[in-house]
Amino acid sequence: MPEMTWWMSPWRIRGMGRSLGWGLAAGFALPATVMLALLAGGAIGLERSAEPIAAVAAAAVSAVVLTALVEEILARYLILRFIEWRAGARVALPATALLFGLLHFGVASLVDGPGGALLFAVPATLSGVLFAGAYLITRTMWLPIGLHIGWNLATSAIFGPDVFGTHRLLTVTPLASDPFSGGLYGTDASLLTSAVLAPLCLAVLFAAARATRRIPVATATAEPAHVPAPRDRERELVTAGG
């Protein structure tokens, strides 16, 4: 069986189910924990949406799963890996996380002013660190994809603000100040979300730094070099020796 190329190895099937499962669970649990804490503290309220279940299910596939897949392929599989190939993981991880945050800032700015969009962009940047680190640690796309889908499933399909037009089961309404409740953007823009993500990002950065140090540069950033077969090597030595 031929070896996987550098471009195909992140999609290897071995361990796919476990990585997706852990990613989905962790990605869902993080914003759900923040939502429960804000709800208990009276910072947000929850209202049952009038959306039919079929519309919520369709949104879960289109606006949640497909969006996460497209963003992960662009941000992690293509851009992160290209920057790592050219400049190394220490540049690739923060660069792509900042780009991820800027893209979310741009989208939010179309709905709200820069102030509210900034609250939305900070947790997005931190989640970009989390997703990029998940790839660098595992060298597969399945964990970051699982994390991203789980996060979007929680904050878009199950509960979320009435701002981006996504169908959801529960609508989040702010009851406290915008920095704490997340304001127009719900728990995705809450300072509590950033407070939860920050130590996780530090742990991920440490683990990613250790993981990338263990991987030879040629393996992580380029196609494997051709290694001559034994006969070819003997022929080279004979030729060199005259």
Side-chain angles (χ1 to χ4, degrees), residues 68-226:
L69 280 173
V70 170
E71 289 184 352
E72 287 307 307
I73 289 172
L74 289 175
R76 257 60 69 176
Y77 180 64
L78 296 177
I79 298 176
L80 171 70
R81 285 157 54 79
F82 178 77
I83 297 177
E84 185 189 15
W85 173 51
R86 301 297 298 178
R90 291 184 178 180
V91 176
L93 192 153
T96 53
L98 286 173
L99 178 61
F100 197 64
L102 286 173
L103 289 174
H104 284 74
F105 177 81
V107 172
S109 296
L110 298 176
V111 180
D112 193 14
L118 184 61
L119 286 175
F120 184 60
V122 171
T125 303
L126 293 174
S127 65
V129 173
L130 191 65
F131 300 157
Y135 167 75
L136 292 172
I137 293 168
T138 63
R139 291 289 162 179
T140 74
M141 290 297 299
W142 306 121
L143 184 57
I145 286 174
L147 286 167
H148 203 153
I149 291 176
W151 189 287
N152 285 4
L153 181 65
T155 59
S156 296
I158 306 301
F159 60 87
D162 190 15
V163 59
F164 295 120
T166 304
H167 300 287
R168 68 195 66 79
L169 289 176
L170 301 170
T171 299
V172 173
T173 55
L175 300 177
S177 61
D178 287 357
F180 192 59
S181 68
L184 186 65
Y185 305 101
T187 55
D188 263 346
S190 171
L191 288 178
L192 183 58
T193 300
S194 297
V196 170
L197 284 173
L200 289 175
C201 287
L202 288 176
V204 165
L205 286 171
F206 179 74
R210 293 188 62 185
T212 51
R213 280 200 299 267
R214 289 198 302 266
I215 299 175
V217 174
T219 303
T221 62
E223 293 278 359
H226 171 67

Side-chain angles (χ1 to χ4, degrees), residues 28-46 158-159 170 172 180 187 190 192-193:
F28 186 91
L30 286 171
T33 301
V34 172
M35 186 272 293
L36 290 174
L38 292 176
L39 186 64
I44 62 170
L46 289 179
I158 306 301
F159 60 87
L170 301 170
V172 173
F180 192 59
T187 55
S190 171
L192 183 58
T193 300

